[in-house]
Amino acid sequence: MKLPIKILTSLLVAFTLSACGPGLVSLPDDPNNEPASTLPNDDNTSAGVIEEPDSEENIVETPPPPASEREQILSLYDYLDPNQLVPTAALEDAVIYFHKNKASFKNQNVLSIIDYRKRSSEKRWFFIDLKTGAVNSLHVSHGKGSDSNHDGYAEKFSNVSGSNATSLGFYKTAETYSGSNGYSLRLDGLSSTNSQARSRAIVVHGASYVQDQNIVQGRSWGCPAVSQANHRSVIDRIKGGSLIYAIGN
């Protein structure tokens, strides 16, 4: 007996969603890879040219300040995250980095932290309002190369082209563009661990394989992808030179 197409499709989706660890369904991966050489250009770039190519000169490693200076800086931001939703050490490191390099961040309304130690089923991208201190969080994908068995945990990270893995470190958000994933946001890596972000086309974009639910999200090709429902508001909030800090194991 032949099953109707609708039923076959439903069975296929159900199988895909149940292919992951106990108790949680998992979404399928990103089927596309958007290489840097084919990135569409926005109004700020010339045709065929990627603005601000990767360079070791873009790396801004900030040595840890003395304990007394660190405490003084942190005291200026003690109103952030009043409900203690963000990992404390990560927030402190991000605040120190932001403060020491404040002039280079044009968007000083928000800083954000992605905690890749958490499973992708959890809300792990934290957005901290630098004016009010309030925090909200969303689900975000990690790279296929970081999670070989698709169990929702990112176990390895890479800065190498072709790795399809997530890169850790400090990022600065850059310009928006419209690509194969629609409205997207380019990122520049500021650490030695993510210095190839732009040439690898590691960008923020919306994806159908990310949903705002307690499920194992689909894996990207290294991009921090968010749900289609939230991608525009996320990009508009952080674009134009805000700090992102991605941490992992």
Side-chain angles (χ1 to χ4, degrees), residues 86-137:
V86 187
T88 301
L91 179 57
E92 290 183 353
D93 288 345
V95 163
I96 295 293
Y97 189 93
F98 171 78
H99 187 83
K100 299 285 283 185
N101 301 282
K102 195 170 183 179
S104 68
F105 295 105
K106 292 181 180 179
N107 182 345
Q108 299 184 2
N109 296 316
V110 61
L111 68 80
S112 58
I113 294 171
I114 307 177
D115 187 356
Y116 284 117
R117 300 171 302 180
K118 293 179 177 290
R119 199 176 191 183
S120 66
S121 57
E122 299 182 64
K123 293 181 178 182
R124 54 183 180 168
W125 193 345
F126 300 93
F127 301 87
I128 302 101
D129 190 310
L130 289 172
K131 297 188 183 301
T132 68
V135 174
N136 70 293
S137 56

Side-chain angles (χ1 to χ4, degrees), residues 58-61 97 105 170-172 188-192 194:
N58 292 332
I59 297 176
V60 183
E61 304 285 10
Y97 189 93
F105 295 105
F170 294 105
Y171 292 86
K172 181 163 64 174
D188 289 309
L190 303 176
S191 304
S192 58
N194 63 9

Side-chain angles (χ1 to χ4, degrees), residues 53-99:
D54 293 318
S55 169
E56 295 301 313
E57 295 177 1
N58 292 332
I59 297 176
V60 183
E61 304 285 10
T62 302
S68 58
E69 182 185 357
R70 180 182 176 87
E71 290 305 313
Q72 185 178 14
I73 293 172
L74 292 176
S75 70
L76 300 174
Y77 299 89
D78 60 4
Y79 64 96
L80 299 180
D81 189 23
N83 297 318
Q84 298 184 322
L85 302 174
V86 187
T88 301
L91 179 57
E92 290 183 353
D93 288 345
V95 163
I96 295 293
Y97 189 93
F98 171 78
H99 187 83

Side-chain angles (χ1 to χ4, degrees), residues 116-163:
Y116 284 117
R117 300 171 302 180
K118 293 179 177 290
R119 199 176 191 183
S120 66
S121 57
E122 299 182 64
K123 293 181 178 182
R124 54 183 180 168
W125 193 345
F126 300 93
F127 301 87
I128 302 101
D129 190 310
L130 289 172
K131 297 188 183 301
T132 68
V135 174
N136 70 293
S137 56
L138 295 173
H139 292 91
V140 62
S141 70
H142 53 241
K144 185 175 183 179
S146 292
D147 177 9
S148 58
N149 61 355
H150 202 179
D151 65 355
Y153 291 102
E155 297 162 347
K156 56 185 178 180
F157 304 91
S158 178
N159 191 32
V160 177
S161 179
S163 67

